[in-house]
Amino acid sequence: MRHGHITSVGMPRLASKPQAITASPIRRIAALLDEARRKSDIISFGGGAPSLPPPQEVVDFLVDFLKNNPQKSVAYGSTRGMIELRELIAQDLKKYWGVDYDPKDEIIIVNGGTEGIYLALSAILEPGDEVIVLDPTYLGYHEPVKLLGGRVRTVPVTVENGYQPRIEDVKKVISPLTKAFILLSPDNPTGRVVTEEFVRGLVDLAVEHDFWIVFDAVYKHISYGRPTPWVDSFKGARERTITINSFSKEASIPGFRLGYVTAPREVVEVMEKIKQYVSLAPDTPGQIAMIKFLESGIKDRYLQEVVIPTYRKRRDFMYKCIQEYLPEAKTSLPEGAFYFFVNIEEYLKAMGRDDEEFANRLLYRKSVVVIPGRYFGEMGKNHIRMTFVSEPEERIEEGIKRMSAYVSSYM
Amino acid sequence: MRHGHITSVGMPRLASKPQAITASPIRRIAALLDEARRKSDIISFGGGAPSLPPPQEVVDFLVDFLKNNPQKSVAYGSTRGMIELRELIAQDLKKYWGVDYDPKDEIIIVNGGTEGIYLALSAILEPGDEVIVLDPTYLGYHEPVKLLGGRVRTVPVTVENGYQPRIEDVKKVISPLTKAFILLSPDNPTGRVVTEEFVRGLVDLAVEHDFWIVFDAVYKHISYGRPTPWVDSFKGARERTITINSFSKEASIPGFRLGYVTAPREVVEVMEKIKQYVSLAPDTPGQIAMIKFLESGIKDRYLQEVVIPTYRKRRDFMYKCIQEYLPEAKTSLPEGAFYFFVNIEEYLKAMGRDDEEFANRLLYRKSVVVIPGRYFGEMGKNHIRMTFVSEPEERIEEGIKRMSAYVSSYM
């Protein structure tokens, strides 16, 4: 009756599903980074946290607010979040994406994109339901689906195709059990922004086969060329789309755990019910800060003058360095998000190593952190993910030179 | 195939369990309070949020930290929370309750007590498992148990017995399916602190029948006489107890959504895995503030000089007023938490109303907010919950005088 490997003598049983899910990729990345911190002169292409400070005006505003209204700053809020913030979010979504949402009924503030995904999946999944994701994809989709009793089906994407998914590949995995498709655009780990054509095809399939689209738009403002298509603006999409948004990347405030979800009012209602018992309410000080961020033009300036120029320069520079110093690597210039997903098969073959061994050895030998591609899915094998947000240009060059020196000795 | 009442035309199906849970009591309370805010001269015995400002030194510290380290203040943290904070928590628990916890493996920071409960139940419950709670009890236990596919069994407590549960009543509902008992002490809504004898008996039953004790200790420092027994300090309890703690009540910072859970390391490990996909990490600024709260003696001073004297005075005063102005009401002097749970059966009989109608009418007629007892369980019918934290003494008297005037007209 006991699970020997997890339960101590005398302890009652634990639930089986959470034991079956894996925490390992995230833990292994954390372990890599912990290890990295102990070494000197580490160059990190690892963690994907925003590396810029939050907008100074927002910090100043929050500091003043805390000083002048300490009790109000840390009071309980409602489960859906402050209506003032939801109204500003509705205006912001209208301005950028041309779509109208009712701030009262179609927007709910959540404790980060992670809670957004969890609540959305909780609101729609029955045990046995299937959820389609791309492969490779973000680490955080497979396990919550499994926790909720669902099953993941994958659609492969490859560097040869610029990591763009193809509708014909989606069709192959649709079944009567298909309940949702999760679309992340711009994407982690590939930096891909999907095409209008793909979204059109996906929405048609969703209508035809009656499934939800969970549109994860947490990187929506981190793009360097054309913006991501907005799923809700496609005919037929609105009543079957749940869109996940985060302030973490746009405002560089991941520690506040603050995001929001738009969805049909019936879905928001169910998500709110679940959220009452999962986290009760979003963070109050973070909401106060984000009201300032949205209401005063700070967001536009911060994105256009600080975030995008900084990240774009580093992206272009990293691309040049990869091409120059790692000529056998294959990658695709990211149109958004923070990452290059790099196929290093040629080097791995010569070295007789897999991508995980490569990442471990590279850290040990050259003090450079990269993330093994296999952590993002079966198709991620023989790849590595490299973020360009953590290091300035000269360190990007130095890091890639070290990688080059390391692989050259085998070629 | 569609749930007509919740799904719009064209919308794919939603999950069934979240639709089956109820959000109504919390919503109805929120609606009462919203209504209340629109009226003038409302006296609130309703919401149980701390009414004191957080400690000024903690606010000052956070303000300075934000000013001097804006980026660090809002950076991602790890899923278990900052190790510095966990170490201070371990020292604090040792000091107050004499129990040793390993800060690395037996403590996890959570996004408020609510997330603590949710993660704890997620870590242990299988569909079909039974969870025992007292009746009346906190609103937030039944629904997460149901969401996770479990079933709630209840043990009645009554004002005649000072709302103390009896071991023989617990025995009556234990079955082979019993997976956990949730114990809240000090209690919401009754203010009861359980006896050592009850905890001893409960732990013996948990050992004998192999179930978990989820000890909800969010009000642990809000007590006016003897402190709550600490479940973990009873022989045999440690390996089957998960303890939920919150900073919301102790530090008056509910808006930061910050608490922590102690449990056997195997449970913490599973909770961490689930938390990675539910909320990723706790709030960073809140953790910084709570490091200050714990490390510098502020907590002791704040509790002993501000929180407890303020609330105790109001408690004693409200007790006197209830006895004087509502002589037919029966209640029990709360030993902890924020609330009187008042049996008003005699008045309701005379009025021909139930407790919910009473609360609605009282607000409409006399602008006084109380919470209907039925929201806390079947046994709560004919009761009302009255908090003494929201109003100062003269307003407490005024409010109860209004209640008296209202019921007198029927007697």
Side-chain angles (χ1 to χ4, degrees):
Chain A
M1 288 299 283
R2 300 190 188 283
H3 296 258
H5 65 293
I6 185 87
T7 306
S8 290
V9 178
M11 183 179 295
R13 266 179 310 142
L14 295 172
S16 52
K17 277 205 207 81
Q19 291 186 63
I21 67 169
T22 173
S24 46
I26 288 175
R27 275 197 201 167
R28 274 179 277 165
I29 291 171
L32 275 178
L33 296 178
D34 263 358
E35 171 73 10
R37 261 177 234 116
R38 273 195 289 277
K39 303 191 70 164
S40 61
D41 193 28
I42 287 284
I43 293 181
S44 177
F45 302 141
S51 63
L52 293 167
Q56 191 58 46
E57 303 103 301
V58 169
V59 175
D60 292 344
F61 178 81
L62 182 60
V63 160
D64 284 345
F65 199 96
L66 266 166
K67 266 198 227 165
N68 300 326
N69 314 276
Q71 193 169 355
K72 202 174 160 194
S73 304
V74 297
Y76 275 120
S78 75
T79 303
R80 287 190 188 200
M82 295 181 184
I83 185 66
E84 305 90 308
L85 180 55
R86 285 182 280 147
E87 280 164 359
L88 288 164
I89 287 167
Q91 290 165 26
D92 191 71
L93 289 169
K94 172 78 174 170
K95 175 178 151 189
Y96 280 97
W97 311 100
V99 180
D100 286 290
Y101 298 95
D102 179 344
K104 202 162 159 288
D105 291 329
E106 296 177 318
I107 298 176
I108 179 169
I109 315 276
V110 292
N111 299 26
T114 303
E115 191 188 58
I117 294 285
Y118 185 77
L119 295 178
L121 294 175
S122 297
I124 60 176
L125 287 191
E126 299 284 358
D129 281 349
E130 293 183 356
V131 176
I132 304 173
V133 304
L134 301 182
D135 177 7
T137 195
Y138 172 59
L139 294 163
Y141 301 141
H142 284 250
E143 307 312 306
V145 169
K146 288 187 224 159
L147 257 182
L148 294 163
R151 186 176 163 219
V152 174
R153 304 292 304 264
T154 59
V155 172
V157 297
T158 63
V159 65
E160 285 74 18
N161 206 19
Y163 298 113
Q164 291 292 347
R166 301 182 312 172
I167 283 295
E168 56 267 38
D169 294 331
V170 176
K171 283 184 183 161
K172 287 181 199 154
V173 296
I174 290 175
S175 87
L177 295 172
T178 302
K179 190 60 164 292
F181 184 103
I182 306 181
L183 178 67
L184 174 59
S185 177
D187 182 52
N188 168 12
T190 68
R192 168 203 62 238
V193 171
V194 289
T195 63
E196 298 263 332
E197 189 197 348
F198 177 78
V199 177
R200 178 70 269 162
L202 178 65
V203 171
D204 287 347
L205 287 176
V207 172
E208 185 186 339
H209 297 278
D210 196 28
F211 61 78
W212 291 96
I213 300 174
V214 177
F215 173 33
D216 188 343
V218 296
Y219 292 101
K220 67 180 184 286
H221 284 300
I222 314 299
S223 73
Y224 309 104
R226 67 190 172 91
T228 181
W230 197 255
V231 177
D232 268 350
S233 64
F234 288 71
K235 192 165 172 297
R238 187 65 183 270
E239 67 204 24
R240 51 188 67 251
T241 303
I242 305 173
T243 305
I244 317 296
N245 299 265
S246 169
F247 286 113
S248 298
K249 280 84 177 163
E250 300 169 19
S252 307
I253 55 143
F256 271 127
R257 314 299 314 117
L258 212 60
Y260 53 95
V261 174
T262 63
R265 68 190 61 219
E266 294 86 348
V267 179
V268 167
E269 213 164 291
V270 173
M271 288 177 68
E272 178 189 32
K273 277 210 287 186
I274 303 170
K275 184 171 168 58
Q276 286 179 345
Y277 305 109
V278 168
S279 66
L280 199 58
D283 187 275
T284 302
Q287 291 184 81
I288 291 166
M290 289 305 93
I291 286 175
K292 183 68 180 174
F293 183 63
L294 290 184
E295 80 181 354
S296 51
I298 294 172
K299 174 177 168 178
D300 276 350
R301 283 202 306 280
Y302 182 65
L303 286 172
Q304 296 318 317
E305 294 171 17
V306 181
V307 176
I308 301 303
T310 307
Y311 293 164
R312 187 204 305 274
K313 238 178 106 194
R314 293 183 186 173
R315 175 196 71 148
D316 292 345
F317 189 77
M318 185 177 264
Y319 193 52
K320 193 172 79 69
C321 290
I322 291 172
Q323 291 181 310
E324 185 171 342
Y325 299 114
L326 298 169
E328 304 298 325
K330 283 180 281 186
T331 193
S332 169
L333 183 69
E335 290 189 86
F338 299 156
Y339 318 96
F340 280 87
F341 202 59
V342 189
N343 181 316
I344 55 166
E345 200 170 359
E346 292 302 316
Y347 294 116
L348 294 177
K349 261 193 234 156
M351 302 169 83
R353 299 199 185 283
D354 70 25
D355 48 288
E356 191 169 23
E357 292 161 348
F358 174 86
N360 288 335
R361 297 293 299 167
L362 182 68
L363 176 57
Y364 181 73
R365 294 277 300 277
K366 297 290 180 180
S367 300
V368 174
V369 181
V370 300
I371 307 294
R374 66 181 54 213
Y375 293 179
F376 302 93
E378 195 62 26
M379 295 294 293
K381 286 181 176 177
N382 299 322
H383 293 68
I384 51 174
R385 190 191 76 175
M386 297 168 66
T387 184
F388 49 84
V389 292
S390 302
E391 304 282 1
E393 280 83 347
E394 61 280 11
R395 305 260 304 161
I396 289 176
E397 180 162 29
E398 167 63 19
I400 295 179
K401 275 186 175 170
R402 288 189 201 171
M403 292 171 71
S404 176
Y406 177 53
V407 298
S408 298
S409 60
Y410 290 88
M411 298 305 281
Chain B
M1 287 300 283
R2 299 190 189 282
H3 297 257
H5 65 293
I6 184 85
T7 305
S8 291
V9 178
M11 184 179 295
R13 267 179 310 141
L14 294 172
S16 52
K17 278 206 206 78
Q19 291 186 63
I21 68 168
T22 172
S24 45
I26 290 176
R27 276 196 200 168
R28 272 177 280 165
I29 291 172
L32 274 178
L33 296 177
D34 262 358
E35 171 72 11
R37 263 177 233 115
R38 274 194 290 276
K39 302 192 72 165
S40 61
D41 193 27
I42 286 285
I43 294 180
S44 177
F45 303 141
S51 63
L52 293 167
Q56 191 58 47
E57 302 103 300
V58 169
V59 174
D60 293 343
F61 178 81
L62 182 60
V63 160
D64 284 344
F65 199 97
L66 267 166
K67 265 197 227 163
N68 299 326
N69 315 275
Q71 194 169 353
K72 202 174 158 193
S73 305
V74 297
Y76 275 121
S78 75
T79 303
R80 286 190 189 201
M82 294 181 186
I83 184 67
E84 305 90 309
L85 180 56
R86 284 182 281 146
E87 280 164 1
L88 289 164
I89 287 167
Q91 290 165 25
D92 191 70
L93 289 169
K94 172 76 174 171
K95 175 179 151 189
Y96 281 97
W97 312 100
V99 180
D100 287 290
Y101 299 95
D102 179 345
K104 201 163 159 287
D105 291 328
E106 296 177 318
I107 298 175
I108 180 169
I109 315 276
V110 292
N111 299 26
T114 303
E115 191 189 58
I117 294 284
Y118 185 77
L119 295 178
L121 294 175
S122 298
I124 60 177
L125 288 191
E126 299 284 358
D129 282 349
E130 293 183 356
V131 177
I132 304 173
V133 304
L134 301 181
D135 177 7
T137 194
Y138 173 60
L139 294 163
Y141 302 141
H142 284 250
E143 307 311 307
V145 169
K146 289 188 224 159
L147 257 183
L148 294 163
R151 186 176 163 220
V152 174
R153 304 293 303 265
T154 59
V155 172
V157 296
T158 62
V159 67
E160 286 73 20
N161 206 21
Y163 299 113
Q164 290 292 348
R166 301 182 312 173
I167 284 295
E168 56 267 38
D169 293 331
V170 177
K171 282 182 184 162
K172 287 180 199 154
V173 296
I174 290 175
S175 87
L177 295 173
T178 302
K179 189 61 164 290
F181 184 103
I182 305 180
L183 178 67
L184 174 59
S185 177
D187 183 51
N188 168 12
T190 69
R192 169 203 62 238
V193 171
V194 289
T195 64
E196 298 262 334
E197 189 197 349
F198 177 78
V199 177
R200 175 72 269 161
L202 179 64
V203 171
D204 287 347
L205 287 176
V207 171
E208 185 187 339
H209 297 277
D210 196 27
F211 60 78
W212 292 96
I213 300 174
V214 176
F215 174 34
D216 188 343
V218 297
Y219 292 101
K220 67 180 184 282
H221 284 300
I222 313 299
S223 73
Y224 310 102
R226 67 190 173 92
T228 180
W230 197 254
V231 177
D232 268 351
S233 65
F234 287 72
K235 190 164 173 295
R238 187 66 183 271
E239 66 204 25
R240 50 188 66 253
T241 303
I242 304 173
T243 306
I244 316 296
N245 298 266
S246 169
F247 286 112
S248 298
K249 280 84 178 163
E250 300 169 19
S252 307
I253 55 142
F256 271 128
R257 312 302 313 119
L258 212 60
Y260 53 96
V261 174
T262 63
R265 65 191 63 219
E266 294 86 348
V267 179
V268 167
E269 212 164 293
V270 173
M271 287 177 69
E272 179 190 31
K273 277 210 286 187
I274 303 170
K275 185 170 167 57
Q276 286 179 345
Y277 305 110
V278 167
S279 65
L280 199 57
D283 187 276
T284 302
Q287 290 184 80
I288 291 166
M290 288 306 93
I291 286 176
K292 181 70 180 174
F293 183 63
L294 291 184
E295 82 181 353
S296 50
I298 294 172
K299 174 177 166 177
D300 276 350
R301 282 201 306 280
Y302 182 65
L303 286 172
Q304 295 318 317
E305 295 171 16
V306 182
V307 176
I308 300 303
T310 307
Y311 293 164
R312 187 204 304 275
K313 238 177 105 195
R314 292 183 187 172
R315 175 196 71 147
D316 293 344
F317 189 78
M318 185 177 264
Y319 194 52
K320 194 173 78 68
C321 289
I322 291 172
Q323 290 181 310
E324 185 169 343
Y325 299 113
L326 298 169
E328 304 298 325
K330 284 179 280 186
T331 191
S332 169
L333 184 67
E335 292 189 85
F338 298 155
Y339 319 96
F340 280 87
F341 202 60
V342 189
N343 181 317
I344 55 166
E345 199 169 0
E346 292 302 317
Y347 294 115
L348 295 177
K349 262 191 235 157
M351 302 170 81
R353 299 199 185 281
D354 69 26
D355 48 289
E356 191 169 24
E357 291 161 348
F358 175 85
N360 289 334
R361 296 294 299 167
L362 182 67
L363 176 57
Y364 179 73
R365 294 277 300 277
K366 297 290 181 181
S367 300
V368 174
V369 180
V370 301
I371 308 294
R374 65 182 54 214
Y375 293 180
F376 303 93
E378 195 62 26
M379 294 293 293
K381 287 180 176 175
N382 298 322
H383 293 68
I384 50 174
R385 191 191 75 174
M386 297 169 66
T387 184
F388 48 85
V389 293
S390 302
E391 303 282 1
E393 280 82 347
E394 61 281 10
R395 304 259 304 160
I396 288 175
E397 180 162 29
E398 166 65 17
I400 295 179
K401 275 186 176 170
R402 289 189 201 171
M403 291 171 71
S404 176
Y406 177 53
V407 297
S408 299
S409 59
Y410 292 89
M411 297 305 282

